[in-house]
Amino acid sequence: MHNTATMLIELGAIILTLGLLGRLAGRVGFSPVPLYLLAGLAFGQGGLLPLRAVEEFTAVGAEIGVVLLLLMLGLEYSASELVTNLRTQYPSGAVDFVLNAVPGAVAAFALGWGPVAAVALAGVTWISSSGVIAKVLGDLRRLGNRETPVVLGVLVIEDLAMAVYLPILTAVLAGAGLAGGSVTLLIALGTVGAVLYLALRHGRLISRAVSSDNAEMLLLVVLGLTLLVAGVAQELQVSAAVGAFLVGIALSGEVAEGASNLLTPLRDLFAAVFFVFFGLSTDPADIPPVLVPALLLAIVTTCTKVATGWYAARRAGIKGGGRWRAGGTLVARGEFSIVIAGLAVGVEPRIGPLATAYVLILVVAGPLTARWTEPLARRLTDGRSKTPPQPERATPEPAQV
């Protein structure tokens, strides 16, 4: 009884704190993710106010948070949109991988962490934060800009790549050999291919089977199906997150929209718990030793993400400021970087503090680069030009608005 009371008190204190921090972040105008991470650091081992009774609950809640994050991401896309993006954006996706995954892998080897940590840290530096970027695009009123579909296309490629990367990472972390890793990858690719085929050919039938006019029934069926598939995927070493993402892709139309509306509050709650749990599992004393490497890595991968966006926008025929806006928008890292680091901390504990510091830096820097990369690039370009700027530069072209 005493333990139950203590758990409820601690859990209530954490959720209340998260609500206040989220409100503060909304007023200031940036993502609450860094505040959630800081709250976890404050409540965890070595923090200002360590909490013990809620460890088991937050661990389970964190797993559900990852599953719901990926489910909601899958609900945003249809199978046909994913296939179209693969066909048109794969060169940009390849450039994105090379420019942004390589610095993480090189950093891991430079720190002496070995090949397994290199695979994990490559993922941490590779994947942008879809949640933070979507919020930034809305806040800056750029959803109608010509470069925005390019940004979203790169994010979709990254999300699809996660369906292949996470099973590989899981196999590597489990110590599977070449044969075991190949089997896991084949299972992952086969599962992704089968789900995309079913979604393309029979998506309406799947959505009709899940559909319900009763909001409660729809919520229970979609949530139950997602957790079931995620658990089966985890047993197959395909990753629970990928299983949830594929469930989201398989649903479409009004079912996807209705499920998204119902699950958004749950997603927000458990995603916040996930970020707090990651902070809880990180000792604040471990962060100062990795702060300099995290800062250097953040500077390098900020530049490489800007280059990625610039290249992708150039391929799409977008000119001038739109290229720089696309690059600056892609800088933010967040949920996926923490998910990957959370999987890897059991093998290389030092990844946790480094990833926490890295995400804290870039989740704050991301909205700033989205806003200021284009003006800064224009100022530098104008300063180097020997000819005075033309008057029409003061009026943006419609394509860049």
Side-chain angles (χ1 to χ4, degrees), residues 320-354:
R323 299 178 186 179
W324 293 110
R325 288 194 295 269
T329 303
L330 286 170
V331 167
R333 311 302 202 279
E335 59 274 12
F336 269 127
S337 298
I338 298 298
V339 169
I340 294 165
L343 292 173
V345 289
V347 175
E348 178 48 75
R350 291 171 292 183
I351 285 182
L354 179 63

Side-chain angles (χ1 to χ4, degrees), residues 6-7 10-11 14 43-46 50-62 273 277 280-281:
T6 303
M7 185 194 72
E10 292 186 358
L11 183 60
I14 289 177
F43 291 137
Q45 181 180 4
L51 303 179
R52 304 289 185 209
V54 293
E55 287 183 355
E56 289 188 16
F57 177 86
T58 53
V60 175
V273 170
F277 176 74
L280 287 172
S281 61

